[in-house]
Amino acid sequence: DPLSAVMTRRVITIGEYSPLEEAAAVMRERAIGGLPVVRGDKLIGIITERDLFDVFSRLLGVGEPGVRLSVSLPSDRGALVTLLRELTDQGGEIVGLGTMREGEARLMMVKVTGLPAEQAQAAVGIAGAELVDVLVED
């Protein structure tokens, strides 16, 4: 039977209350583009690569107007909080945020509306962080 030659007999699934990052890790590790979501032994949905891209885009504020700052944070844990507080105290609204480790450094992307680019950039210096990139999106 040609179909059985290409089908997987043991389907990899994830439970309905599993964290999204767990689903992403399974999909990446197994190099699969979709992951069935189950409640007990019943299929209730499928998480796809597109779903993950949609969540990732929303977390980062893609499509929202504003100023996107890419920042290298010092090891001082207070720099992140200081930067976010400075941006909001100046009247900005955070519409996207993400952080990740890159070796010893912590990189952060923050998207803010309600502030001109120069004012948002100044907040980076006040926080003691290093500005890597700025993008203004209308």
Side-chain angles (χ1 to χ4, degrees):
D1 179 356
L3 188 57
S4 64
V6 295
M7 287 182 61
T8 301
R9 294 198 189 283
R10 191 164 163 242
V11 177
I12 300 163
T13 63
I14 195 159
E16 68 179 309
Y17 296 113
S18 298
L20 188 61
E21 57 267 32
E22 182 181 332
V26 169
M27 291 170 67
R28 185 170 186 267
E29 289 167 9
R30 303 290 183 133
I32 54 177
L35 187 61
V37 179
V38 295
R39 178 184 298 138
D41 60 356
K42 182 179 178 185
L43 176 68
I44 60 169
I46 298 175
I47 294 177
T48 66
E49 289 175 331
R50 181 183 175 113
D51 296 325
L52 297 177
F53 285 127
D54 286 348
V55 169
F56 178 72
S57 296
R58 290 178 65 199
L59 285 171
L60 297 180
V62 172
E64 296 274 348
V67 179
R68 188 200 71 209
L69 305 168
S70 297
V71 176
S72 179
L73 296 168
S75 57
D76 169 25
R77 293 182 186 186
L80 185 147
V81 173
T82 301
L83 176 55
L84 296 177
R85 183 176 297 127
E86 191 64 31
L87 290 168
T88 56
D89 284 352
Q90 292 182 31
E93 178 186 352
I94 307 298
V95 296
L97 179 65
T99 68
M100 66 181 186
R101 288 203 182 277
E102 187 71 31
E104 293 297 313
R106 177 173 299 277
L107 300 177
M108 180 174 95
M109 189 291 309
V110 60
K111 191 165 195 182
V112 61
T113 62
L115 294 178
E118 298 77 22
Q119 196 173 352
Q121 290 176 58
V124 174
I126 292 169
E130 177 187 342
L131 185 64
V132 176
D133 185 52
V134 178
L135 176 65
V136 178
E137 296 181 275
D138 295 324

